Amino acid sequence: QVQLVESGGGLVQAGGSLRLSCACSGSTFRSIFSITVMRWYRQAPGKQRELVAAIGSGGSTDYADSVKGRFTISRDNAKNTVYLQMNSLKPENTAVYYCNAVPPRLVTTSDYWGQGTQVTVSS
């Protein structure tokens, strides 16, 4: 059974920082986490879910323009965990943040999602 569990969300004042974690478990990830593309998405009330950051198997990263220079995605393959360090937070960053795992297609055609963690930034 595959499970992605996010943590680290909360309430923070504008300008503050939070570090989100996404721990992946299950037999699917036991041997392939290191070659699984990991992404963070967010969804604000009344808006579509949007991609925030992604990290590939080799550690390459990509960010939405709105978070470049403030957010950093990283991964610890030994712990099957991906992180999102969020600095200089703004009220418009308020959203539910979701972790997404995209294993190699030769392994499975399924994507996996966490349950989400709420981030609220007060002005």
Side-chain angles (χ1 to χ4, degrees):
Q1 185 178 0
V2 172
Q3 198 171 17
L4 276 65
V5 179
E6 299 104 332
S7 61
L11 174 64
V12 64
Q13 287 189 331
S17 298
L18 284 174
R19 188 194 195 204
L20 306 183
S21 299
C22 172
C24 305
S25 61
S27 58
T28 298
F29 289 117
R30 204 161 288 145
S31 59
I32 67 163
F33 178 82
S34 64
I35 58 173
T36 294
V37 173
M38 299 297 301
R39 297 169 176 157
W40 285 98
Y41 285 79
R42 67 186 176 193
Q43 187 165 20
K47 294 188 177 182
Q48 288 189 330
R49 191 172 295 192
E50 63 173 348
L51 178 64
V52 176
I55 185 165
S57 58
S60 61
T61 58
D62 194 20
Y63 298 93
D65 288 342
S66 61
V67 307
K68 283 181 181 177
R70 299 187 298 119
F71 290 13
T72 303
I73 188 171
S74 61
R75 64 193 302 159
D76 184 337
N77 291 331
K79 296 182 178 179
N80 287 3
T81 300
V82 63
Y83 304 96
L84 185 67
Q85 177 68 43
M86 306 186 294
N87 298 329
S88 302
L89 282 162
K90 304 175 181 180
E92 53 263 42
N93 299 142
T94 294
V96 178
Y97 284 71
Y98 297 91
C99 178
N100 168 244
V102 185
R105 289 311 183 215
L106 289 178
V107 176
T108 176
T109 56
S110 298
D111 287 7
Y112 301 97
W113 292 87
Q115 81 289 349
T117 185
Q118 176 70 47
V119 171
T120 303
V121 184
S122 63
S123 56

